[in-house]
Structure formats: structure tokens, C-alpha cells
């Protein structure tokens, strides 16, 4: 029996250009609720641009984005961004302690996050209470990325956007972060959209995948297409031949 | 000072020109232009001031101050071209500074309400504000460019544009104010300020010269604070669009 999926984020003929240079070209499709969708493709394919469009950091030049069938333009930017969290590649950390970093989404809304709540978020990403008052800048890359994920969970987002969050990490940390994201997806029913350069990672964790090249959506579907696609460009990319 | 004595001071211009030529520094042309400009500009200002002082006209005084504001605005805006509407933002800031400082000085009768006091004091304060504005705009645009990730992080977590640039705004305001504060710490110990030296050379009582200099340095603190704070708070909203997206700074 075939599953039916509900669209969490839908793109209708999205185009985006900077100084008349096309970055995204006529993208249409949906990221499904509670599923993990990976975005793969070489550098410059437009993956990050597409991701930033989901939480309104960028608007398309033409076309429309819908969040749960509501036009993104009719949702207040602050509300939209609280519901759609993003974790960036280099895990930007603010000066101060781990607690200050985790409490940041609340302090921006002039609300207070208690120590107890902060510890729960830390534990959710596999860190214990001893980290709470450590200086965030002293942590390892993997730990910073976990803090970054914990911080993005504070707003209790329905969708979590991940921009190459494991690209700078060692294999052990990559595996830990993958398990963590799977846990967040399954336990909290958070929709995940994950940009990755790593085809094996996309096959391992993605329910669905979108393959982008030079601003075009080459193919999308279940992650198995990464192995079964007959598209020559995708086959070359999957073998790591695409050098751009 | 006689015109012969004044002509002899050109020796101080010849020394750097000779050094530049000998050491091939290539600064002869710039030094010559700077000298000619300073002679023409100062002589012109001297005659204009004499005319304004003699005329005892409030209108002439206002026109002179507006010209100072216009020149300072046109000079400072070069550093903030990336910020939309920077010209009127700088002009507004300078007008506010002039109104506030002169309002206090004249309102409390700290100085007499005559052109001899108002114009030179306005010149010093507007000039300092111009330098402060340039320092602020330089630092602010650099901070925005280098702090893009941090700004987008705050926006992504549901923050407002004001919250997103808070750190960059604070850093630029502090950086532009520090030279004014630091220079005041050593004032009188390392160098005697220009206005005070001028008054003393001109035969004024040194204690009275110090009193006026204190007036100026205290007023400079206000102009330093107001310049960067006003330009900062007028500028940051133009870095974002109505969807609270950070605009590429070169495209604003």
C-alpha cells in the first residue's frame, strides 16, 4: 500500500537570481511532514538558497513558497522562524556560556529559560548538566554543533533545516549527530531538511532526497533514487565524479 | 603677525616637499595642493567670518552653520554609500547635534548668543561629528559584513532586526567614541588643544582659555555619543527589508 504524505513546505515554480544571474530555476515540489529529506548536489547548486527560503531568510524572485498550505508571505517572519529552525554549517556561537547560548531564543523573546529546562535540552542532544556553565567557545566542533541543535529546539520547531552540519566533524561525531537527528525526527515528529555533500549519509538517513545541480531540481523522490537513477549526471555525482 | 613673517612660515611646507622629493615618497603634489587649499579656504573663511560678525545678522549666521553641516554631510556620506538614504541621516544627525549643543550653551547662558561664539563652537562640534560619523560608518559596515552569520542566526531564532544587529551596532558605537574619550584623558599633558593654544598666542588669559577648552571637550563628548548613536539607529533599519531579511550591504 502506498503512503500518502502531507506537505510541510511546498515550492511552486521557484526562481531566484542575484544581479540577473539565476541561482534557482523553476523549482517545484514538497518536503513532507515528519520525514527526513536530504538535499544533495555540488557546490553552487542552490541548496543553501533553497533552505534559507524555507524560513524566510531569502525570498524567491518569482514563484511561491507554502508552509502547511499557507503562503509564506502571509506569515509574520518572527513566527515563521520560530516554527522553522535552522542549524548552520559552522554552528555560530554567541559569546558566553552554553546556558546563554541555549537560552538565546527565549531571551530574544524576553522570556526566561530555567536551568532545569536548559539541562533537558542539553540531555536531548546527549550532553549532561556539567556543560551548562562552560564557555561555549571552548567546546569542540561536535559539541558546538550539538549546542547549536539544542538551541534550535528551544523554540519547539515543526521543521528543522540543517545546512551541512556534519561536514567539518570527525566520523565519530558525524555518527552521533546522525543518531541525534534521527531521534529528534522520530521522538518529536520534527520534519527534517538536511543539506549534505555526503551521498552515503543521504542514503543512510534520508527518507527522501532532492538532487540539485546548477540551480535546477534534477530529480526528487525516495532516497533509493541515489542508487537507482538512470540520469547520467546523477550517476556521475553519486560516484563523486562531478567536480564543481 | 606681519605678511613677511607669514610668508616665512612656508618654510614648514618646503621641508616635507624636499624630503618627499629626496626620498621619492611621491607626496609633493598632494602637499602642494593641501597647502594651496588651506591658504584659500582659511583666507576665505576669515573674510566670510569678518563679514558675518560685522553684519550682526542672525540669518547669515544660520546660513553659515547650514553650509558647515552641508559640507560635513557630503564628506561623511562617502563612507556610508552602502546605506540607503545615508545623506539625510547624517544631515539629520548633525542638525540634532547642533540644536542640542547650542540649545544647552545658549539656553543656560553658558556662552553669549553672538556669532563670535556660536560659529567657531559649531564648527568644532560639527567637524568632530563628521569625523565620528566616518569612523562609525566604516566600522559598522565592516561589522555587518563580517558578522553576517551571527545576524542571520539571531533572525533564524525569531529575533528582530534590532536584536540581530545589536552587537554590531554596540561595537561600532564604542569604537567610534573611544578616540574622543582617550584623547581627553591626556589632554593638556601631551598636547595643548588647538583652540586653547590659539587663544593663548592671541594674548588671552590662559585660565580663561582653559575654561573655553573645557567647554569644548565636554560638548565633544555629547557630540561623540549623539553622532554614532543617531546615525546607527537611523541606519540599521535600512539594512533589512520588510520580510526582516538582511540585504546584501552593497545592494542597499
Amino acid at each position: 500500500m502506498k503512503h500518502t504524505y502531507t506537505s510541510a513546505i511546498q515550492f511552486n515554480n521557484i526562481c531566484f537570481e542575484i544581479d540577473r544571474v539565476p541561482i534557482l530555476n523553476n523549482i517545484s515540489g514538497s518536503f513532507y511532514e515528519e520525514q527526513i529529506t536530504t538535499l544533495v548536489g555540488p557546490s553552487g547548486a542552490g541548496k543553501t538558497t533553497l533552505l534559507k527560503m524555507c524560513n524566510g531568510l531569502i525570498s524567491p524572485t518569482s514563484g511561491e513558497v507554502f508552509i502547511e498550505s499557507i503562503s509564506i508571505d502571509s506569515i509574520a517572519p518572527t513566527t515563521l522562524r520560530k516554527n522553522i529552525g535552522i542549524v548552520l554549517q559552522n554552528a555560530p556561537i554567541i559569546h558566553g556560556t552554553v546556558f546563554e547560548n541555549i537560552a538565546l531564543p527565549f531571551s530574544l523573546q524576553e522570556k526566561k529559560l530555567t536551568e532545569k529546562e536548559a539541562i533537558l535540552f542539553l540531555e536531548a542532544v546527549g550532553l549532561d548538566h556539567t556543560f551548562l556553565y562552560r564557555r561555549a567557545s571552548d567546546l569542540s566542533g561536535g559539541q558546538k554543533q550539538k549546542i547549536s541543535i539544542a538551541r534550535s529546539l528551544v523554540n519547539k520547531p515543526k521543521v528543522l533545516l540543517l545546512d551541512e552540519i556534519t561536514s567539518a566533524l570527525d566520523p565519530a561525531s558525524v555518527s552521533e549527530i546522525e543518531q541525534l537527528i534521527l531521534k529528534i525526527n522520530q521522538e518529536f515528529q520534527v520534519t527534517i531538511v538536511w543539506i549534505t555533500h555526503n551521498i552515503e549519509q543521504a542514503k543512510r538517513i534520508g527518507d527522501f532526497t532532492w538532487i540539485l545541480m546548477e540551480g535546477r531540481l534534477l530529480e526528487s523522490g525516495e532516497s533509493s533514487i541515489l542508487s537507482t537513477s538512470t540520469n547520467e549526471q546523477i550517476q556521475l555525482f553519486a560516484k563523486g565524479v562531478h567536480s564543481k | 603677525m606681519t605678511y613677511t613673517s607669514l610668508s616665512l612660515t612656508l618654510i614648514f611646507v618646503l621641508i616635507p616637499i624636499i624630503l618627499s622629493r629626496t626620498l621619492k615618497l611621491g607626496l609633493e603634489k598632494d602637499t602642494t595642493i593641501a597647502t594651496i587649499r588651506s591658504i584659500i579656504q582659511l583666507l576665505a573663511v576669515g573674510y566670510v567670518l569678518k563679514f558675518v560678525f560685522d553684519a550682526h545678522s542672525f540669518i547669515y549666521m544660520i546660513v553659515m552653520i547650514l553650509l558647515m553641516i552641508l559640507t560635513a554631510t557630503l564628506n561623511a556620506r562617502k563612507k556610508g554609500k552602502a546605506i540607503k538614504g545615508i545623506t539625510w541621516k547624517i544631515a539629520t544627525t548633525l542638525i540634532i547635534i547642533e540644536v542640542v549643543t547650542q540649545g544647552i550653551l545658549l539656553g543656560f547662558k553658558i556662552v553669549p548668543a553672538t556669532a563670535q561664539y556660536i560659529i567657531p563652537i559649531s564648527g568644532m562640534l560639527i567637524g568632530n561629528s563628521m569625523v565620528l560619523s566616518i569612523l562609525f560608518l566604516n566600522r559598522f559596515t565592516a561589522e555587518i559584513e563580517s558578522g553576517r552569520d551571527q545576524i542571520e542566526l539571531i533572525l533564524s531564532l525569531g529575533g528582530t532586526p534590532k536584536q540581530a544587529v545589536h552587537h554590531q551596532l554596540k561595537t561600532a558605537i564604542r569604537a567610534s567614541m573611544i578616540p574622543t574619550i582617550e584623547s581627553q584623558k591626556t589632554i593638556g599633558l601631551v598636547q595643548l588643544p588647538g583652540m586653547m593654544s590659539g587663544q593663548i598666542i592671541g594674548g588671552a588669559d590662559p585660565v580663561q582659555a582653559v575654561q573655553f577648552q573645557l567647554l569644548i571637550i565636554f560638548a565633544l563628548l555629547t557630540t561623540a555619543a549623539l553622532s554614532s548613536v543617531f546615525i546607527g539607529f537611523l541606519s540599521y533599519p535600512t539594512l533589512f527589508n520588510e520580510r526582516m531579511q538582511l540585504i546584501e550591504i552593497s545592494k542597499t
Side-chain angles (χ1 to χ4, degrees), chain B residues 64-75:
Chain B
M64 179 110 192
I65 291 170
L66 287 176
L67 278 174
M68 284 176 183
I69 290 175
L70 179 72
T71 314
T73 302
L74 295 177
N75 201 16

Side-chain angles (χ1 to χ4, degrees), chain A residues 2-142:
Chain A
K2 225 172 173 181
H3 279 286
T4 51
Y5 297 102
T6 312
S7 164
I9 301 173
Q10 190 190 333
F11 301 98
N12 278 6
N13 308 108
I14 293 297
C15 294
F16 181 73
E17 50 187 51
I18 297 175
D19 296 335
R20 295 188 182 171
V21 177
I23 308 294
L24 289 175
N25 196 353
N26 208 26
I27 306 278
S28 293
S30 287
F31 297 144
Y32 298 122
E33 269 183 12
E34 297 175 25
Q35 304 297 307
I36 299 180
T37 304
T38 57
L39 298 184
V40 296
S43 300
K47 305 184 296 292
T48 301
T49 305
L50 194 65
L51 202 73
K52 286 183 174 178
M53 253 173 218
C54 299
N55 77 340
L57 283 177
I58 294 176
S59 293
T61 311
S62 65
E64 276 190 288
V65 183
F66 293 93
I67 309 293
E68 293 177 344
S69 306
I70 300 168
S71 169
I72 203 167
D73 293 334
S74 60
I75 308 170
T78 47
T79 311
L80 171 72
R81 289 166 192 163
K82 276 180 227 160
N83 283 325
I84 300 183
I86 189 166
V87 183
L88 302 165
Q89 182 180 9
N90 48 359
I93 288 291
I94 59 157
H95 295 295
T97 62
V98 168
F99 181 52
E100 284 169 282
N101 269 275
I102 292 182
L104 180 62
F106 264 31
S107 31
L108 291 172
Q109 298 162 54
E110 289 168 10
K111 289 198 286 188
K112 255 190 149 34
L113 188 78
T114 64
E115 252 184 50
K116 211 171 151 189
E117 288 169 319
I119 291 168
L120 286 177
F121 284 112
L122 266 183
E123 286 171 351
V125 295
L127 298 172
D128 63 31
H129 67 277
T130 58
F131 280 86
L132 204 57
Y133 289 104
R134 284 177 64 179
R135 263 208 336 217
S137 54
D138 293 342
L139 303 179
S140 70

Side-chain angles (χ1 to χ4, degrees), chain B residues 183-245:
Chain B
S183 72
Q184 294 194 3
K185 285 183 185 168
T186 55
I187 202 157
L189 299 176
V190 180
Q191 58 170 5
L192 295 178
M195 186 194 79
M196 192 175 102
S197 308
Q199 277 189 298
I200 294 171
I201 292 167
D205 171 21
V207 175
Q208 202 186 23
V210 166
Q211 285 173 345
F212 274 107
Q213 189 61 51
L214 283 174
L215 178 158
I216 292 298
I217 64 168
F218 295 155
L220 285 180
L221 276 178
T222 287
T223 61
L226 289 182
S227 307
S228 38
V229 169
F230 268 97
I231 293 184
F233 280 88
L234 287 173
S235 301
Y236 87 80
T238 56
L239 300 173
F240 298 87
N241 63 18
E242 70 286 354
R243 294 295 298 164
M244 294 190 184
Q245 296 163 344

Side-chain angles (χ1 to χ4, degrees), chain B residues 107-181:
Chain B
F108 288 106
K109 294 189 167 61
I110 298 169
V111 295
T114 60
Q116 279 91 333
Y117 288 91
I118 294 173
I119 291 176
I121 291 174
S122 297
M124 279 185 273
L125 300 185
I126 292 168
N128 189 65
S129 256
M130 179 187 76
V131 174
L132 255 296
S133 306
I134 291 170
L135 283 176
F136 172 81
L137 289 168
N138 251 343
R139 184 64 184 258
F140 189 51
T141 46
E143 286 286 327
I144 296 288
E145 279 298 298
S146 63
R148 232 186 143 77
D149 281 352
Q150 199 96 18
I151 294 168
E152 288 201 332
L153 167 75
I154 308 272
L155 292 174
S156 300
L157 293 171
T160 61
K162 189 179 172 186
Q163 290 170 323
V165 294
H166 177 77
H167 174 73
Q168 286 72 18
L169 205 52
K170 208 172 81 175
T171 307
I173 290 173
R174 277 179 60 84
S176 59
M177 283 184 67
I178 283 171
T180 305
I181 297 169

